[in-house]
């Protein structure tokens, strides 16, 4: 065992103890974060406008600060973008993470001197807790790759702008610099396909031990490696045994990945976003990710089925229940207040508080009142594939409200790596699994309001071609699992 791996194990013990301290005191941890946020922002323009001086409790906060999305917060953000100080948080932010908005064009999410360290520490701590639980640390001596956006940043009014993954690239700890890949020059390549090819060339003969990124784009990297070497990824990288991912559920990709790698590898799931780093998988044995309750973020939760009511109830951490679908609302030390990030979560454990990401509040199908969410379609597809040789590269689901003939239906657009041997049996299994996942969908089938699901096959690389056509190939971009309209599926290239 190397000195580096011994040091990693000792550091992992320290981080585990620190994590236990706040995780076993969840309500106290959140109260401390809440008090600190209110105190630090009292003299900001937002704090003055919303009477932070009068806020003594969460109830006061809920009265003074409504739930907002980006559009509602935009007037404040625009002032910060222009270089004004003390608007949402004290001083100016260090960075703006630039993201693509669905209705407002580009969105600019502030990252401050107080919030930025948590983005780095969370990813580090996820790996350290893995080391503590498993005792595996030899991978720290190998090379690590994090597939991410370009680190090239713009600057206006003394604030730098860029993609979150590109900003984070500037904060790689010194002790990882020699292990980290790809090179800075390759990382700066903007065109995703050119970048992937360059990464393949740089890494092919290296001792890669950790690979990280959004599964759909890592899959593209693995396929290019296989094309170059004519071998599985596991044969090319004999010591690769840890995959770190975030952004989407890995389960629909797992069978394909195991085939590309040639064996099973351990994985760690992360829940990062431009707005904050919310959770990470802290155990290989337990379901869900540990919600980070001491990381400068105060959480509220609104039940999804109540979210669009006039006055939805806002719950804090001590009031949540297992298995309920909640919209995640945050207030942060980057100056986001009562902010709806758009993600929905469910708790898998209350001791400690662990979550799964169940979908997006705006990404659902409820064309007939069924309110199907992302988690349900992912679970249904996984169940349908069990016991078959079918493997899926990518998929999305949309309603067909006005078919040429017959009843309406849910249409599954699937790009298969391996097609099922029996299409009819696979379709039946998928529909039955979906009916188990969502009782309202089952009622619609039983009541002859909907016919059973229809599967439409997408051509090889059809989803990549679509993402390229809208300028979102690679990086942190991902295909929505489902939508209430056919804007995406009507332009897909199908078989």
């Amino acid at each position: 065992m190397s000195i580096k791996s011994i040091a990693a194990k000792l550091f992992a013990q320290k981080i585990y103890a620190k994590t236990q301290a706040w995780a076993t005191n969840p309500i106290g941890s959140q109260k401390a974060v809440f008090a600190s946020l209110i105190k630090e922002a009292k003299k900001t323009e937002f704090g003055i406008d919303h009477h932070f001086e009068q806020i003594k409790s969460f109830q006061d906060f809920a009265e003074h600060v409504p739930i907002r999305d980006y559009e509602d917060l935009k007037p404040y953000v625009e002032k910060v973008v222009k270089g004004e100080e003390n608007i949402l948080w004290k001083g100016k932010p260090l960075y703006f993470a630039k993201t693509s908005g669905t209705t407002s064009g580009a969105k600019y999410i502030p990252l401050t001197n107080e919030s930025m360290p948590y983005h780095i520490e969370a990813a580090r701590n996820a790996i350290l807790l893995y080391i503590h639980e498993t005792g595996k640390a030899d991978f720290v001596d190998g090379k690590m790759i994090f597939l991410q956006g370009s680190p090239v940043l713009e600057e206006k009014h003394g604030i730098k702008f860029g993609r979150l993954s590109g900003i984070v690239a500037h904060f790689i700890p010194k002790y990882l610099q020699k292990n980290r890949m790809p090179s800075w020059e390759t990382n700066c390549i903007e065109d995703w396909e050119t970048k992937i090819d360059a990464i393949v060339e740089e890494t092919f003969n290296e001792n890669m031990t950790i690979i990280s990124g959004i599964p759909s784009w890592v899959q593209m990297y693995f396929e290019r490696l296989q094309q170059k070497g004519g071998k599985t990824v596991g044969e090319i990288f004999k010591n690769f045994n840890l995959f770190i991912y975030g952004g989407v559920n890995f389960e629909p990709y797992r069978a394909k990945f195991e085939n590309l790698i040639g064996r099973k590898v351990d994985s760690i799931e992360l829940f990062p976003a431009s707005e904050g780093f919310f959770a990470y998988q802290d155990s290989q044995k337990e379901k869900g990710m540990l919600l980070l309750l001491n990381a400068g973020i105060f959480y509220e939760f609104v039940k999804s089925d109540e979210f669009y009511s006039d006055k939805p109830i806002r719950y804090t951490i001590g009031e949540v229940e297992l298995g309920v679908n909640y919209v995640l609302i945050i207030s942060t030390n980057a100056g986001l207040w009562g902010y709806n990030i758009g993600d929905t979560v469910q708790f898998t454990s209350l001791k400690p508080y662990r979550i799964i990401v169940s979908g997006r509040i705006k990404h659902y199908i409820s064309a007939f009142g069924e309110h199907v969410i992302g988690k349900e379609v992912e679970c249904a597809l996984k169940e349908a594939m069990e016991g078959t040789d079918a493997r899926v590269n990518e998929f999305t689901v949309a309603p067909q409200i006005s078919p040429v003939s017959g009843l309406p239906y849910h249409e599954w657009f699937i790009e298969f790596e391996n097609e099922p041997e029996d299409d009819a049996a696979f379709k039946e299994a998928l529909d039955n699994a979906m009916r188990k996942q969502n009782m309202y969908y089952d009622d619609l089938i039983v009541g002859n309001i909907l016919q059973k699901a229809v599967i439409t096959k997408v051509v090889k690389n059809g989803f990549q071609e679509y993402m390229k056509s809208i300028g979102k190939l690679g990086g942190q971009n991902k295909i929505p699992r489902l939508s209430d309209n056919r804007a995406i599926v009507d332009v897909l290239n199908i078989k």
Side-chain angles (χ1 to χ4, degrees), residues 176-194:
L176 286 181
Q177 290 289 1
K178 290 183 179 180
N179 299 68
R180 176 182 170 272
M181 300 199 75
S183 66
W184 185 265
E185 292 74 20
T186 294
N187 220 10
C188 291
I189 296 172
E190 292 288 348
D191 180 75
W192 187 253
E193 290 183 286
T194 304

Side-chain angles (χ1 to χ4, degrees), residues 185-238:
E185 292 74 20
T186 294
N187 220 10
C188 291
I189 296 172
E190 292 288 348
D191 180 75
W192 187 253
E193 290 183 286
T194 304
K195 183 172 184 171
I196 286 291
D197 287 337
I199 290 173
V200 168
E201 291 301 319
E202 278 194 9
T203 58
F204 189 80
N205 293 313
E206 297 287 347
N207 177 29
M208 304 303 301
T209 56
I210 295 180
I211 296 173
S212 175
I214 290 178
S216 50
W217 307 125
V218 174
Q219 178 180 310
M220 187 175 176
Y221 168 56
F222 283 175
E223 288 170 342
R224 299 286 174 92
L225 282 168
Q226 204 172 54
Q227 288 168 12
K228 177 178 173 62
K231 298 183 288 187
T232 65
V233 174
E235 290 173 306
I236 296 168
F237 302 141
K238 291 181 171 57

Side-chain angles (χ1 to χ4, degrees), residues 123-138:
R124 178 202 70 189
N125 290 354
I127 297 174
L128 289 169
L129 291 186
Y130 169 82
I131 292 172
H132 181 269
E133 182 184 53
T134 66
K136 299 175 183 177
D138 289 344

Side-chain angles (χ1 to χ4, degrees), residues 272-384:
S274 299
E275 296 86 352
F277 204 122
F278 306 123
Y280 55 67
Q281 184 180 349
D282 66 316
S283 174
Q284 295 290 301
K285 302 170 186 174
E286 304 294 336
K287 183 180 180 181
M289 296 175 284
L290 184 69
L291 186 64
L292 304 183
L293 301 175
N294 73 329
I297 302 169
F298 179 74
Y299 300 96
E300 302 174 53
F301 308 90
V302 176
K303 292 180 180 179
S304 296
D305 55 6
E306 298 175 3
F307 184 72
Y308 290 108
S309 61
D310 290 338
K311 286 191 175 180
I313 299 172
R314 297 160 71 169
Y315 299 96
T316 56
I317 194 65
E319 302 169 302
V320 296
E321 304 170 64
L322 293 173
V324 175
N325 209 44
Y326 292 103
V327 180
L328 187 62
I329 309 298
I330 60 168
S331 297
T332 77
N333 55 6
L336 302 176
W337 302 101
Y339 188 86
N340 168 26
I341 67 168
D343 286 313
T344 59
V345 300
Q346 292 179 6
F347 284 89
T348 60
S349 166
L350 303 182
K351 288 184 179 181
Y353 284 92
R354 292 193 181 98
I355 60 170
I356 58 170
V357 180
S358 53
R360 299 278 294 171
I361 190 62
K362 291 184 178 179
H363 291 170
Y364 59 87
I365 298 177
S366 200
F368 312 96
E370 63 275 42
H371 206 91
V372 171
I373 62 175
K375 171 180 171 287
E376 293 168 344
V377 296
E378 289 171 343
C379 288
L381 183 60
K382 180 187 175 186
E383 183 176 330

Side-chain angles (χ1 to χ4, degrees), residues 2 13 59 196 322 483:
S2 70
Q13 289 178 355
Q59 288 70 29
I196 286 291
L322 293 173
S483 57

Side-chain angles (χ1 to χ4, degrees), residues 66-111:
I67 293 173
R68 285 177 162 88
D69 59 17
Y70 185 81
E71 280 298 304
D72 297 324
L73 201 65
K74 193 174 180 180
Y76 290 100
V77 175
E78 286 179 337
K79 290 183 178 182
V80 187
V81 172
K82 290 176 182 176
E84 294 185 37
E85 298 186 12
N86 303 316
I87 304 299
L88 288 165
W89 190 253
K90 57 188 181 181
K92 288 183 181 181
L94 292 177
Y95 300 94
F96 272 109
K98 188 177 179 181
T99 69
S100 300
T102 54
T103 60
S104 54
K107 297 197 298 184
Y108 297 93
I109 306 299
L111 296 163

